Amino acid sequence: MDILLLTELKDEQRKMIQLLPDITIYDRNTITHEKYASIQVILGWNTIANQILAGPNCVGFIQTVSAGVDALPLKQLAFEKVLVANTSGIHAESLTESTIGMILAFTRGLFPMGPKPFREWKPDAKRKQMGNISDQTVLIFGTGHIGSHLASRLKQFDAKVLGISRHGETKEEFDRVGCMNQVSAFVKQADIIVNVLPLTRETYHYFDNEFFSLTEQQPLFVNVGRGESVDQVELIRALKSGRISGAALDVVDPEPLPNDDPLWKLPNVLITPHIAGSVPHFRDSLFNIFYPNLKQYVLHGSIVKNQVDLTRGY
Amino acid sequence: MDILLLTELKDEQRKMIQLLPDITIYDRNTITHEKYASIQVILGWNTIANQILAGPNCVGFIQTVSAGVDALPLKQLAFEKVLVANTSGIHAESLTESTIGMILAFTRGLFPMGPKPFREWKPDAKRKQMGNISDQTVLIFGTGHIGSHLASRLKQFDAKVLGISRHGETKEEFDRVGCMNQVSAFVKQADIIVNVLPLTRETYHYFDNEFFSLTEQQPLFVNVGRGESVDQVELIRALKSGRISGAALDVVDPEPLPNDDPLWKLPNVLITPHIAGSVPHFRDSLFNIFYPNLKQYVLHGSIVKNQVDLTRGY
């Protein structure tokens, strides 16, 4: 079985894979066009993978290296019954720490910060913008693994934590969870809004003019989900009009954000370059998902962990 | 009894005080030099209070509006047996949230941040500096109310938390507490060092060249205690030489920090203008300490809450 590693693994991890029966490993350096048609397993996703899927192929299992699978041709994969696994779960702590750091950057008077030109000793101006998380109501869009982990950390700070999910199922990490048609009442209460939703047809440009017009507390808007879930023109309008007091964005549309994008110039926007989900010891965490999946796929044609529902898209 | 309010209280709080027997309230607007000698209670601290203490006076109780009392003439107050109470306790959550925000600003690639000139989309450079708190060892100087609260919040993030106190008493919020002569071994392990020590004769310029030469992990240095506990020339040297990887400073020496101070220009220094302890609903929290103290002082000549040990200085 030919497998293609588009993400680097450790030497000992490659050796473990080699011990599986009849495996030939290809990577970015060794793959050739002639071999595209025989690849059955792909780890990672890039233009090579796209090209393989575009031609005659026998790919049966794709292991992504991210929680979101929106870059993949999901319809085609569903039609061809390709198994897809993501890395959902391993990013939760990183995304949670980045989100809380972003919130505290605003609520504790840290932002904007850095050397010149932000040198200023203006305690009174800073104090006016400050608050404690314990006094805030945080509304999280997405109550899956990441949203729930973030909620539990925010509860440790004594925040009030609300959630929105497709069906509004109760979750112990949240004070209350609403479904999509209850959004209006939830948004009105929010001091901080966080998006961790996956990108799907339903969430594309979900945060639009209609959404931002619901805010009443001039909330901070944090996006660590996907940039395309936000109508960025309307986000900028909401920032300028004061419908929201600030934005912390790890994801934007497009990425990388062009140097002349107006978002860079707004004084109340904190941007990080899609790094919030970065995981220490990533290759170990990835291998803990990929290896059991690969072994099962080689032996039985199925996978055991993190299978994506291709019709839902997550 | 004449009392001087150098910090504004709410109208209803002033009314409650008026209901105590024989009270006359003075404030910044109504106090005159002629009245200095008759003031028995002072709320807050500023040059007027200094002047009152410098002359013939009958001050018997001072309620400060900060946890630190280093601005007061402690020797004189001890000699004259003046009762002093601080607001220790009410700043713990604010200082904790600011400290964690400062740590996350560095560990989650948020710093430096802001609009131009920090617009850059350089994920790889950022990722190199990133980590999760769960992988960090944090060393807190000071294991009192503030240090312990911070430790408990950091433990919720699964950090390893070490403490240093004068006598090294075990505290449940810490994995381990050492005393001052064990500092060397503790500093070597630290990824993050936080100072919350009060300023006393013993802690003045405690963080000096000798201290910074002990570091081995290029730790981040966070100071939310007092600026004078740090030899700032040596701090700058340690930042430039890489003995420490960065500094987050809510307190500096002097304050306000002069516009031409070299600290402003360093790329790896985050400065906030002594705001980390700012408390929401401050006047309510303050009154919950001041009022019971005042009532007891009026009726019995003693106080009931937050009395400062004038020989220790905290």
Side-chain angles (χ1 to χ4, degrees), chain A residues 97 113 119 127 133 259 278, chain B residues 97 113 119 133 259 278:
Chain A
E97 293 194 12
M113 57 172 143
R119 59 178 212 184
R127 275 198 200 96
I133 289 186
N259 276 341
S278 298
Chain B
E97 292 194 12
M113 57 170 142
R119 60 178 210 183
I133 290 186
N259 275 341
S278 298

Side-chain angles (χ1 to χ4, degrees), chain B residues 212-278:
Chain B
F212 291 118
S213 70
L214 299 173
T215 62
E216 289 193 352
Q217 313 286 338
Q218 296 198 293
L220 171 69
F221 179 75
V222 181
N223 192 3
V224 292
R226 280 290 183 265
E228 294 90 335
S229 294
V230 176
D231 181 337
Q232 219 153 270
V233 172
E234 294 302 335
L235 172 70
I236 291 172
R237 201 193 303 267
L239 282 161
K240 287 183 170 170
S241 71
R243 297 299 313 177
I244 56 177
S245 57
L249 310 171
D250 185 56
V251 290
V252 288
D253 181 19
E255 293 176 9
L257 193 65
N259 275 341
D260 60 352
D261 193 284
L263 266 184
W264 288 119
K265 289 160 204 156
L266 293 176
N268 49 348
V269 177
L270 189 172
I271 298 171
T272 49
H274 204 145
I275 54 173
S278 298

Side-chain angles (χ1 to χ4, degrees), chain A residues 94 97-98 104 108 113 119-121 123 127 130 132-133 135 153 156 256 259 264 270 273-276 278, chain B residues 94 97-98 101 108 113 119-121 123 127 130 132-133 153 156 256 259 264 270 273-276 278 280:
Chain A
S94 295
E97 293 194 12
S98 282
L104 291 171
R108 302 311 301 161
M113 57 172 143
R119 59 178 212 184
E120 52 171 11
W121 190 274
R127 275 198 200 96
M130 288 173 70
N132 283 354
I133 289 186
D135 291 325
R153 283 271 189 273
Q156 290 171 341
N259 276 341
W264 288 119
L270 189 172
H274 204 145
I275 54 173
S278 298
Chain B
S94 295
E97 292 194 12
S98 281
R108 302 310 302 161
M113 57 170 142
R119 60 178 210 183
E120 51 171 11
W121 190 274
R127 275 199 200 97
M130 289 173 69
N132 283 354
I133 290 186
R153 283 272 190 271
Q156 289 170 341
N259 275 341
W264 288 119
L270 189 172
H274 204 145
I275 54 173
S278 298

Side-chain angles (χ1 to χ4, degrees), chain A residues 272-312:
Chain A
T272 50
H274 204 145
I275 54 173
S278 298
V279 173
H281 325 299
F282 174 71
R283 288 185 292 181
D284 293 333
S285 306
L286 170 64
F287 201 69
N288 286 340
I289 296 171
F290 177 54
Y291 182 74
N293 276 343
L294 177 64
K295 190 171 170 185
Q296 178 81 4
Y297 184 74
V298 169
L299 299 176
H300 305 291
S302 57
I303 60 175
V304 290
K305 279 187 177 182
N306 284 52
Q307 185 168 353
V308 173
D309 179 337
L310 295 173
T311 58
R312 289 196 310 175

Side-chain angles (χ1 to χ4, degrees), chain A residues 219-267:
Chain A
L220 171 69
F221 180 74
V222 181
N223 192 2
V224 292
R226 280 290 182 265
E228 294 89 337
S229 295
V230 176
D231 181 336
Q232 219 154 268
V233 172
E234 294 302 335
L235 173 70
I236 291 172
R237 202 193 304 266
L239 282 161
K240 287 183 171 170
S241 71
R243 297 300 314 178
I244 55 177
S245 57
L249 309 171
D250 186 56
V251 289
V252 288
D253 181 20
E255 294 177 8
L257 192 65
N259 276 341
D260 59 352
D261 193 282
L263 266 184
W264 288 119
K265 289 160 202 155
L266 293 176

